[in-house]
Amino acid sequence: MSRTSRGTHARRARAALLLSIVAAGCSAGASAPSRQPASAPTAGAPAVRSDALAAVAARPSAAPSADLTRLAELYEKRTEGSGVVDHPIGPGDLIEINVPAMEELRDRSVRVASDGNVTLPLLGTVRAEGLTETQLHEDLRRRLGHYMHKPQLSLLVKEYRSRQVGVLGAVARPGLQITRDGGDTILDMISEAGGLTDQASQRLLFIPAEQVDQNEARQLASAGLIVGDAAPGLYADGSPSSQLIKATSPIVIDLEKMSEGSQQMALSVPVRPGDTIIALGGGQVFVQGWVEKPGAYPITRGLTLLGALAAAGGASYPADKTSVRLLRDTQSGGREVLVANIEDVEQGKSDDVLLREGDIVEVEATGGKLAAYGVYHFFTNVMRMGFALSPF
């Protein structure tokens, strides 16, 4: 009896919600500062002054073509034909078999051995690896037909150890997740792992697994590189064992540099057992100049210019909040300078700026405020010294 995919609608709704969060970014609270010296800006860098700064800074650019091409090819390959398939049974899976009319097979649980077989009373050794639930059910029913008339049999895979996908890095519950059917996507697996944490950046590494083909399996077996019960890694008919998989080179999914359509395609790639998804953590941004606590701060998902200033304790009195500079490295190896009016951002007159790893926020002072601040600072120190010297 084939088990249908459970919770499909709920999973898709959860995936759509997570996609909107990942694509747009959410506002993140400020973190405790890390006191490290900030890098100095490059002198003579061209400045850009515009009220539409946020749009310029946040506009998506083209993702690396090689990664997008690989993702597109993988998407087409894994969605070819029916979108949802029943993964075959594999080693380590726990199968529950129930034949009410036969005591030896009533409510019996058996785990698939590393050689892909299960051993059952009366029926002996039966190959299970590579078969779906429906196929194994029909095979057992046919075998039981030699001993009883129209056997009634139920079969359910209770635990799928062979269907595991690794979800690691900046997620709430890193570890192995079980894919239920061929329609589970990268986004579904991230959702099953509890979603991205605040420390996650906008970059994912996806390492797709590929099954070892027949010729390569024979080469590995002849070289003695397949050990244990799985050796030589081939069935009696010469076909490779489905448990022999290999990891490929990682694909970088940079959500910040992708268009909305590219993001949807990338996160909708179906996963397969053996795949690995790594959510990369964010780096640091640097806040220097006239702020209360200048230094390096960890960049969290959705961190904006206003949030970075808040993490640095806010602008001090002499700061020129109408001309805060943002220094950002470009893909060509240069550096661009963006200028933001923080007062307009605070009043909702212009959009905030989403920060990236390695950004430098520089807060300069205005001449008038700086002079007033110097006078204030001088008299404050004089008064403190006077009270300290007074015997009363």
Side-chain angles (χ1 to χ4, degrees):
M1 180 174 58
S2 177
R3 186 181 63 172
T4 59
S5 176
R6 295 174 298 194
T8 301
H9 295 295
R11 233 177 27 250
R12 296 302 176 212
R14 186 170 62 251
L17 176 60
L18 181 58
L19 175 60
S20 65
I21 295 174
V22 171
C26 60
S27 297
S31 310
S34 173
R35 290 300 184 110
Q36 298 180 11
S39 302
T42 302
V48 178
R49 180 60 184 259
S50 172
D51 291 335
L53 171 65
V56 175
R59 67 174 181 267
S61 57
S65 57
D67 288 326
L68 269 183
T69 300
R70 288 184 62 193
L71 281 172
E73 292 175 350
L74 197 62
Y75 180 86
E76 291 297 328
K77 178 181 179 180
R78 292 187 174 184
T79 56
E80 187 177 3
S82 59
V84 177
V85 297
D86 191 6
H87 284 311
I89 296 170
D93 290 352
L94 184 64
I95 301 174
E96 183 179 75
I97 301 170
N98 184 29
V99 183
M102 184 176 294
E103 184 177 355
E104 295 86 351
L105 292 176
R106 189 179 302 154
D107 296 326
R108 187 177 187 88
S109 295
V110 59
R111 192 173 295 279
V112 181
S114 58
D115 61 1
N117 297 324
V118 293
T119 302
L120 299 170
L122 188 64
L123 300 181
T125 300
V126 179
R127 174 177 168 181
E129 182 182 8
L131 302 179
T132 64
E133 286 184 10
T134 300
Q135 292 171 337
L136 182 58
H137 176 271
E138 291 303 316
D139 184 34
L140 294 180
R141 190 172 182 275
R142 178 183 57 79
R143 293 170 184 261
L144 286 171
H146 297 294
Y147 304 96
M148 55 193 308
H149 180 65
K150 293 183 178 180
Q152 299 299 313
L153 164 71
S154 63
L155 183 147
L156 176 67
V157 180
K158 296 175 62 177
E159 185 178 321
Y160 291 95
R161 287 193 176 179
S162 64
R163 301 187 185 183
Q164 293 176 332
V165 173
V167 186
L168 309 174
V171 291
R173 296 187 300 273
L176 296 174
Q177 303 297 327
I178 295 177
T179 172
R180 288 173 288 270
D181 54 59
D184 284 331
T185 66
I186 293 176
L187 197 56
D188 290 326
M189 292 295 98
I190 294 175
S191 179
E192 291 293 330
L196 301 177
T197 66
D198 289 339
Q199 287 71 41
S201 69
Q202 295 283 59
R203 291 184 299 163
L204 305 173
L205 290 185
F206 179 53
I207 308 175
E210 293 182 0
Q211 183 176 340
V212 175
D213 60 30
Q214 186 171 340
N215 292 331
E216 190 172 357
R218 286 198 179 95
Q219 293 175 2
L220 293 172
S222 61
L225 298 178
I226 304 175
V227 297
D229 296 336
L234 300 172
Y235 292 127
D237 60 3
S239 62
S241 170
S242 63
Q243 67 180 312
L244 295 179
I245 58 176
K246 60 181 178 180
T248 59
S249 57
I251 299 174
V252 179
I253 302 176
D254 196 334
L255 300 174
E256 188 178 14
K257 296 180 180 179
M258 286 184 176
S259 65
E260 183 176 352
S262 297
Q263 288 182 26
Q264 292 177 349
M265 181 275 294
L267 297 177
S268 298
V269 171
V271 295
R272 294 292 180 263
D275 287 350
T276 303
I277 303 166
I278 303 175
L280 298 178
Q284 291 180 323
V285 295
F286 304 91
V287 184
Q288 61 186 20
W290 291 93
V291 291
E292 296 297 332
K293 296 177 291 183
Y297 293 83
I299 185 169
T300 56
R301 183 165 49 91
L303 180 65
T304 63
L305 180 58
L306 205 59
L309 291 175
S316 58
Y317 173 76
D320 183 3
K321 299 175 67 175
T322 65
S323 184
V324 175
R325 289 161 34 105
L326 173 61
L327 291 83
R328 172 169 294 172
D329 293 333
T330 62
Q331 291 183 342
S332 60
R335 175 171 287 175
E336 62 178 340
V337 180
L338 309 175
V339 182
N341 188 329
I342 296 300
E343 291 183 349
D344 286 348
V345 175
E346 292 174 336
Q347 297 173 10
K349 295 180 180 179
S350 62
D351 295 330
D352 206 348
V353 184
L354 189 65
L355 296 184
R356 303 176 187 173
E357 179 181 353
D359 281 350
I360 300 174
V361 178
E362 189 176 65
V363 182
E364 297 180 342
T366 61
K369 284 187 175 181
L370 186 58
Y373 179 79
V375 174
Y376 164 78
H377 184 70
F378 172 77
F379 278 105
T380 301
N381 287 340
V382 169
M383 294 297 292
R384 287 176 181 171
M385 290 179 61
F387 281 118
L389 294 175
S390 174
F392 306 102

